Amino acid sequence: MFWSSKRPLVQVALSLFIIPLVHAATTCNGHSELCDRSYGNVSFVGAHDSYAVGTNNLAANQDYDVTQQLTDGVRLLQMQAHNLSGVIQLCHTDCGLFNGGTLQDYLTKVKTWMDANTNDVVTLLIVNIDDLPPTDYSPVFENVGLDKLSYAPTTSPLTNTAWPTLGSMIDAGTRLVTFLDNAADLTKVPYLLDEFTNVWETPFDVTDPAFDCSVNRTHGDSSTQMYLINHFLDTILLNSPVPDIAEANVTNGVSGTGSLGAQVDTCVAAYGRAPNYLLVDFYEYGGGSVFQVAASINGVTYDPTTPIATPIPTSTTSSTSGGGNGNAGSLVSPSQFIASLFVGLSVLFGAISVV
Ligand SMILES: *[C@@H]1O[C@H](CO)[C@@H](O)[C@H](O)[C@H]1NC(C)=O
Ligand SMILES: *[C@@H]1O[C@H](CO)[C@@H](O)[C@H](O)[C@H]1NC(C)=O
Ligand SMILES: *[C@@H]1O[C@H](CO)[C@@H](O)[C@H](O)[C@H]1NC(C)=O
Ligand SMILES: *[C@@H]1O[C@H](CO)[C@@H](O)[C@H](O)[C@H]1NC(C)=O
């Protein structure tokens, strides 16, 4: 009698307490250890200008397209959105200089990948260069179906410790976090979050491999915000910063002067916690080193099931043919780039627009 009548009651009573604490997801972003960690306490590798894909193209920041980036472990996708005749396109500085296609085509690839990988939390960081209202973005998210996968906090900003766990975001099916660098308005679109009240950034377009950890841009209290390190090295060509691809193996490295690992160490020493986002160019240079750095600060083992993509060699001769895997952008030669750059820069007030 006791067991048949009371035990179910005990179980019900216990489950009321236990179920809300237990995640259905047992693997989160590839690791069981990450399921119970707050989103704000995880380090993610990010692809700088993730749509700017090309080889022998000074306006490109990546060799491989967004699908390969996600497959290899990139979980923050940064992009620059422009209004081209009323359509949101992912361009670099200027759509005449580099056009990586429409936001909708890009987000369709993200949605396809996320549908096939249901235990992963992904973040988008949109540089809203033309100050478009969030209501210009929401129809694109709705067309693609990413609105349904989007995380919309009940209050925003959130301090770094206030974010939900990866496990709970995955269980709820709201595992896409999207930031706009300006013009966010949660009363209009609750899932397009304001970047700089939630996240601060280190300096960008850095040309000194010493990469400092100073607070460069924020609209909040950096001591309680998540933070992003702009760990991509530029070199100056005709007064404009362009990716220093010759140094990419070193820049993306685990240790040594100028490496990602070294900047992380500097930042941890300064702030007592690791950066949330590690934004890099040509992420596959270093042979997975950027993911190794993230795994190390997350306290998990970097153990890829398949080898990551290999760097696409650049040629020393200027070329518009290029090839390369998954090229999405129009290719420009250095001379075309320089010609367009003058146009772009005169329109867009200098180096800041080349971020
Ligand atoms: C986007 O571009 C279109 C066409 O040029 C223009 O009509 C519209 O006002 C622009 N949107 C914004 C928010 O500037
Ligand atoms: C932020 O970084 C940019 C580029 O690296 C620099 O020009 C600017 O002065 C910095 N601003 C602050 C407030 O540190
Ligand atoms: C980067 O490292 C890869 C793999 O070790 C090597 O094939 C490539 O030549 C290196 N590239 C540069 C620019 O150092
Ligand atoms: C997460 O918390 C641990 C323990 O406090 C800390 O060592 C680590 O740097 C934190 N990571 C992030 C990204 O906040």
Side-chain angles (χ1 to χ4, degrees), residues 11 64 68 84 93 100 130 136 139 147 155 162 164 191 226 281 294 304 307 311:
Q11 283 178 339
Y64 290 94
Q68 186 71 41
L84 188 64
T93 307
D130 289 336
D136 277 11
D147 57 324
T155 59
Y191 56 84
M226 297 189 291
D281 277 343

Side-chain angles (χ1 to χ4, degrees), residues 130-177:
D130 289 336
D131 303 342
L132 299 171
T135 46
D136 277 11
Y137 287 95
S138 50
V140 184
F141 278 69
E142 287 159 19
N143 287 344
V144 170
L146 279 179
D147 57 324
K148 302 277 195 308
L149 281 186
S150 291
Y151 172 65
T154 46
T155 59
S156 187
L158 294 174
T159 60
N160 64 315
T161 55
W163 286 79
T165 62
L166 294 192
S168 64
M169 295 171 80
I170 289 167
D171 287 353
T174 51
R175 47 197 182 84
L176 180 69
V177 176

Side-chain angles (χ1 to χ4, degrees), residues 37 40-43 272-276 297:
R37 293 265 292 274
N41 183 231
V42 177
S43 299
R273 60 185 164 98
N276 297 83
I297 47 187

Side-chain angles (χ1 to χ4, degrees), residues 245-246 249 285 311:
I245 194 166
N249 282 333
Y285 276 74

